[in-house]
């Protein structure tokens, strides 16, 4: 999936229109449209802001991962990409939620 496709996917998933995203990013609406159609690429500052708005990594935006890719970050910037099934993702999400509740 290209970066424009990811921006469109994340925007729609967040029930946000192009104008709302553009306002959050400080750009005009047509810029978001150009990114989503692949006619232009967002600059580094925009990529960082997009990652913060949608709570995703810049790595996710810039690399060709599918929705079932989990990136495990290690020490000193090392990472490992693992492709998992939807069921495995649900298990991982449930595990993470249980860890959050254990800290409370």
């Amino acid at each position: 999936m290209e970066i424009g496709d990811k921006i469109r996917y994340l925007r729609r998933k967040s029930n946000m229109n192009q104008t709302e995203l553009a306002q959050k990013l400080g750009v005009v609406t047509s810029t978001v449209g150009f990114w989503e159609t692949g006619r232009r690429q967002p600059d580094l500052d925009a990529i960082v802001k997009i990652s913060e708005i949608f709570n995703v990594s810049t790595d996710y935006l810039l690399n060709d991962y599918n929705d079932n890719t989990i990136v495990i970050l290690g020490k000193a910037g090392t990472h490992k990409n693992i492709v998992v099934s939807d069921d495995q993702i649900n298990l991982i999400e449930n595990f993470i939620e249980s860890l959050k509740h254990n800290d409370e």
Side-chain angles (χ1 to χ4, degrees):
M1 188 182 319
E2 299 291 325
I3 190 168
D5 297 323
K6 291 177 184 177
I7 294 169
R8 182 183 314 106
Y9 168 77
L10 293 167
R11 178 181 59 75
R12 288 179 175 171
K13 185 177 174 186
S14 298
N15 296 313
M16 190 182 302
N17 63 40
Q18 287 182 344
T19 302
E20 292 168 325
L21 178 57
Q23 289 171 344
K24 289 179 183 280
L25 294 167
V27 299
V28 295
T29 303
S30 61
T31 299
V32 174
F34 288 149
W35 293 341
E36 290 184 359
T37 58
R39 291 171 43 192
R40 291 193 186 151
Q41 298 295 312
D43 64 20
L44 185 57
D45 290 335
I47 291 169
V48 170
K49 288 180 186 175
I50 292 165
S51 73
E52 291 169 351
I53 290 168
F54 296 118
N55 196 31
V56 297
S57 70
T58 55
D59 190 53
Y60 167 78
L61 291 171
L62 294 170
N63 288 297
D64 191 24
Y65 302 134
N66 66 38
D67 290 339
N68 286 17
T69 300
I70 294 178
V71 179
I72 300 173
L73 300 177
K75 296 178 183 177
T78 62
H79 69 277
K80 184 176 189 176
N81 303 330
I82 302 171
V83 178
V84 295
S85 70
D86 290 338
D87 289 338
Q88 290 169 321
I89 288 175
N90 288 333
L91 287 171
I92 292 166
E93 288 173 343
N94 290 336
F95 176 70
I96 291 170
E97 284 301 314
S98 70
L99 289 175
K100 288 179 186 178
H101 293 295
N102 286 340
D103 288 341
E104 294 175 351

